[in-house]
Amino acid sequence: MDQFSDDPILALSKRFDGYEKAYGVYATGAPDPKGKVQGKAQTVHEPITVGRWRAHVEGNPPGIGIIPLKQDNTVVWGVIDIDIIGIDHKALEAKITQLKLPLIVFRSKSGGAHCFLFTKEPVAAGLMVEKLTAIAAALGHGGCEIFPKQTSRHDERDTGNWLNMPYFYAERTNRYAIKDGEVLSLPAFLARAADTSVTEAELAAIEVLPPSAPNDLLADAPPCLQFLHAHGGFPDGTRNDGMYNVGVYLKKRFSDDWKDKLTAYNAEMCDPPLTLDEVNTIAKSVSKKDYFYRCGKPPIKDYCDRAVCKTRACGIGDSGPELGQLTKYMSDPVLWFLEIDGKRVMLETRELMNQKLFQEKVGQEINRYLPTLPQAQWERKIDTAMRNCTEEPVPEEASTFGQFKSIVHMYCRGQARTTTKAQLAESHSPFITGDGEVWFKAIGLRKYLDVQGFKFKSMHHVFQMLRDMGCVHETLRVKPGAGGTVNVWVIKEDALPPESEDEPALAFGSGTIEF
C-alpha cells in the first residue's frame, strides 16, 4: 500500500502523541456473542515509532494503542469512550453540534463511539478529564470511560491505560472519523482535527451546564436532575427512581414541607405523572434516615457529573475521596493502581481487599482519611472496582519469575565454575558438562540468590520456579567412594539466552524482591 506518504502518517502520530516510553498492541479476534470484538492486548515497553504507525495504517497486525498521558502528566488529546454497540453516530454528532462542542465522533472497532477532543498544545490531564466528564454527562453518557484514565503516575511501573487507535488498515478501516454522518478519510480527518483543536484557554472555557429551570424549580440541584428536566423529564420506565431522587433533593432544600411539593414536581418531571399512591410510597421511602441519591442507577446515572454535584448546596456533598479507575498489573506479585482524588495509589492485593489496610495506605499517599463503610457496602464497592478494572500485562522479565530466571542464567554461566563433575561433591559452583547441560546444586544457587539480594520465604518456592523453567532434579554419581553422589538441578545449555541478555530487567521494580 503506497496511498499515504510519510507526511500524513507522521501527522497522525503527532495528532495522537502520548506516553513516550510505552504503547499498546491489540491483535483482534472474532466478535463475542454481544458483537464486541475480542483480541489479545499487550503493552510494549518501548517508544512508538513512525514505522510502527505506518504498519498500523497499512493494516499489518497487530494494531496499536496509545497511552494519552505523557511523562509530564499532560495530554494533547482525550476521548469519551461510549461502549454502546450500534450507537447512532449521526445522532450523537448532531447533539455535539447542538452543544457547540469541539469533539470529533469516531466509530470504535466494535461499533461504539469514541468522541475525541484535540488540543493545540499539551494541557494538564486533570483539566482534560474534568471537561470530558462534564461533557459526557451533558450528552447523556455520564459514567462512561474517559481517557486519559489517569491524571498522574505513581512511578515508572505505572505506565497507564492505552486506547486502540483509529485508521487501522486505513483503506478499508472500520475505525474512522465521522462528519455529517459520512466517513472521513485519513487526510480529511487530519484536516478536521486541525480545525477543531483548541487551546488550553479554550478548553478551560468550555461550559456545558444545564439551562436554568423556570421559577428556580431545581435551584442548587444535582446537574443530573437539571439535565433530565431540560430533556423533557424522566423517560418511561424510570419515573419511580427518578422521583425518588427528586424527593431526596426536596428534602435537602425544603426540610419542613418537602412532601407537600412532591405532587407538583411529579407533574413537572413525569409524563404521565405517577399516581398519588406511588408518590406517597416514594415519600415514605425518602423519609427514612439513610436516604441518599441513587447515583448509580438510571435515570440520573447517565447524566452524572460528580465533581459539579459536590459543589451544589443540594448535591451529594463532600462524600469523601472518590475512587477512580482501578488498573491491575499482571506482575508477580500482582500490583493494583487506583486513582483517588487525582492521585495514583499503588496497592498490594491484601491492601486492596482489607478496608483497614486500604485506609492506612490511602492516608499515607494522599493525606486523606476514608470514612469507614459498613463491611457489606465496602465489599460491594471493591467488587465493582475489580470487575471493571483494566488489566495490564507486563513483560516476563519485569516479574519476580522473570528476574529469578535471569539470576539463574547468570549463575550458570558465571566465572565461578567447576572444571570437573567430581568437584561438584565439594563445590557450590555450577558445572558445564560439555554435552549441552549445566549441573548445579541448590545450596550454591541459594548463596548466589542471597548475594543478588533476591529474598524468598522458602526453598520450596525456588524449586517450583526451577521446575517452571524446565530444570530437572536428579541424583548423580560424580566420583567413586563415599560422598560421591550429589543432588543436582540440570538445565539445558541451549535454554540460556545470549550473555548480553543476562542482566535481570527491573522494569517493574528494583531492589529487594520478595514473594
Side-chain angles (χ1 to χ4, degrees):
M1 169 180 168
D2 56 6
Q3 177 180 350
F4 301 107
S5 67
D6 286 340
D7 289 342
I9 292 175
L10 181 61
L12 185 66
S13 69
K14 290 182 177 298
R15 180 56 65 190
F16 288 102
D17 192 20
Y19 187 42
E20 297 85 347
K21 295 185 177 182
Y23 65 96
V25 293
Y26 190 90
T28 57
D32 65 16
K34 294 183 178 180
K36 188 164 182 71
V37 176
Q38 300 298 301
K40 183 178 181 181
Q42 181 181 352
T43 299
V44 180
H45 294 268
E46 60 185 40
I48 187 72
T49 64
V50 175
R52 195 66 197 82
W53 268 104
R54 171 172 287 281
H56 176 87
V57 172
E58 293 177 350
N60 297 321
I64 62 174
I66 298 297
I67 303 164
L69 186 67
K70 297 168 70 66
Q71 281 183 263
D72 60 359
N73 296 330
T74 64
V75 296
V76 294
W77 59 272
V79 63
I80 302 170
D81 182 3
I82 304 174
D83 193 18
I84 300 176
I85 297 173
I87 189 173
D88 187 334
H89 296 91
K90 187 173 183 179
L92 176 62
E93 186 188 12
K95 188 178 290 188
I96 289 170
T97 301
Q98 181 184 11
L99 293 174
K100 299 179 180 179
L101 296 170
L103 301 183
I104 300 179
V105 176
F106 280 72
R107 183 192 186 277
S108 70
K109 60 182 174 58
S110 296
H114 288 166
C115 302
F116 280 92
L117 193 156
F118 298 100
T119 61
K120 295 181 185 295
E121 69 264 0
V123 302
L127 176 62
M128 177 68 77
V129 171
E130 173 192 338
K131 293 301 179 179
L132 289 181
T133 300
I135 289 171
L139 293 173
H141 295 286
C144 65
E145 289 188 309
I146 303 293
F147 285 80
K149 289 189 179 182
Q150 301 85 25
T151 56
S152 63
R153 287 186 175 85
H154 182 273
D155 55 28
E156 288 296 318
R157 295 171 287 185
D158 185 16
T159 55
N161 300 95
W162 48 268
L163 182 76
N164 286 296
M165 288 290 97
Y167 291 100
F168 176 73
Y169 198 3
E171 284 187 345
R172 300 182 183 179
T173 189
N174 62 356
R175 312 179 205 173
Y176 45 73
I178 297 168
K179 186 176 186 300
D180 300 327
E182 300 296 325
V183 177
L184 293 182
S185 66
L186 175 54
F189 153 67
L190 291 170
R192 179 155 173 74
D195 291 339
T196 59
S197 60
V198 297
T199 64
E200 183 173 14
E202 290 169 335
L203 176 63
I206 292 177
E207 291 287 351
V208 285
L209 296 176
S212 299
N215 303 318
D216 288 331
L217 185 75
L218 292 168
D220 293 321
C224 55
L225 294 179
Q226 295 175 334
F227 275 123
L228 282 160
H229 179 264
H231 293 163
F234 300 128
D236 207 18
T238 67
R239 292 178 299 161
N240 287 82
D241 279 319
M243 284 305 299
Y244 177 91
N245 291 296
V246 169
V248 173
Y249 162 69
L250 292 175
K251 190 173 180 181
K252 285 176 175 287
R253 185 179 175 189
F254 306 103
S255 59
D256 295 329
D257 60 345
W258 65 272
K259 291 182 183 179
D260 300 334
K261 300 179 183 297
L262 263 179
T263 301
Y265 277 77
N266 176 36
E268 181 71 25
M269 299 292 290
C270 298
D271 184 17
L274 296 175
T275 66
L276 181 59
D277 285 345
E278 289 174 308
V279 172
N280 288 336
T281 299
I282 289 170
K284 185 177 180 180
S285 296
V286 176
S287 296
K288 295 178 180 178
K289 188 176 180 180
D290 59 349
Y291 75 97
F292 198 73
Y293 292 111
R294 295 174 175 172
C295 303
K297 295 182 63 177
I300 65 173
K301 176 183 177 182
D302 292 338
Y303 293 90
C304 180
D305 187 346
R306 192 175 183 88
V308 173
C309 194
K310 283 184 176 182
T311 68
R312 299 289 175 85
C314 299
I316 58 175
D318 187 1
S319 53
E322 182 180 356
L323 304 189
Q325 176 65 34
L326 179 66
T327 304
K328 178 183 181 181
Y329 282 90
M330 306 299 290
S331 56
D332 177 19
V334 165
L335 289 176
W336 306 80
F337 287 86
L338 181 65
E339 179 117 350
I340 305 178
D341 277 3
K343 296 183 179 180
R344 298 280 281 175
V345 178
M346 183 180 73
L347 299 153
E348 298 175 8
T349 300
R350 64 189 182 91
E351 294 171 327
L352 178 68
M353 302 186 73
N354 182 294
Q355 184 171 189
K356 184 63 177 176
L357 294 177
F358 182 85
Q359 289 171 312
E360 290 177 1
K361 186 63 174 285
V362 171
Q364 292 172 9
E365 295 286 338
I366 69 171
N367 298 328
R368 292 288 303 273
Y369 183 81
L370 293 181
T372 301
L373 300 177
Q375 186 62 22
Q377 184 179 348
W378 162 257
E379 290 173 359
R380 286 194 299 270
K381 199 178 191 74
I382 295 302
D383 180 60
T384 299
M386 294 178 74
R387 286 174 181 269
N388 296 322
C389 79
T390 300
E391 293 187 351
E392 285 287 337
V394 299
E396 183 186 68
E397 63 268 20
S399 68
T400 300
F401 177 63
Q403 293 175 38
F404 174 80
K405 283 178 62 176
S406 295
I407 292 173
V408 172
H409 293 160
M410 287 195 299
Y411 171 66
C412 288
R413 64 153 49 93
Q415 292 183 351
R417 303 173 187 167
T418 60
T419 56
T420 67
K421 67 179 182 180
Q423 290 177 327
L424 274 175
E426 291 81 24
S427 175
H428 294 159
S429 299
F431 171 60
I432 299 178
T433 65
D435 57 1
E437 293 182 343
V438 180
W439 301 349
F440 60 91
K441 294 192 297 186
I443 188 172
L445 175 62
R446 177 170 185 162
K447 290 180 177 293
Y448 192 78
L449 291 173
D450 289 340
V451 170
Q452 294 296 319
F454 192 95
K455 301 294 184 180
F456 49 88
K457 293 180 180 179
S458 73
M459 287 301 291
H460 169 75
H461 293 94
V462 172
F463 297 157
Q464 186 56 55
M465 286 193 289
L466 287 173
R467 294 187 187 98
D468 292 342
M469 288 178 59
C471 299
V472 177
H473 183 261
E474 293 186 7
T475 301
L476 300 176
R477 189 77 175 170
V478 296
K479 68 176 184 179
T485 300
V486 295
N487 292 314
V488 300
W489 287 89
V490 179
I491 186 172
K492 297 295 184 182
E493 202 171 356
D494 58 11
L496 303 179
E499 291 195 32
S500 60
E501 299 177 14
D502 277 348
E503 285 296 323
L506 301 181
F508 210 81
S510 58
T512 299
I513 307 298
E514 295 192 26
F515 61 99

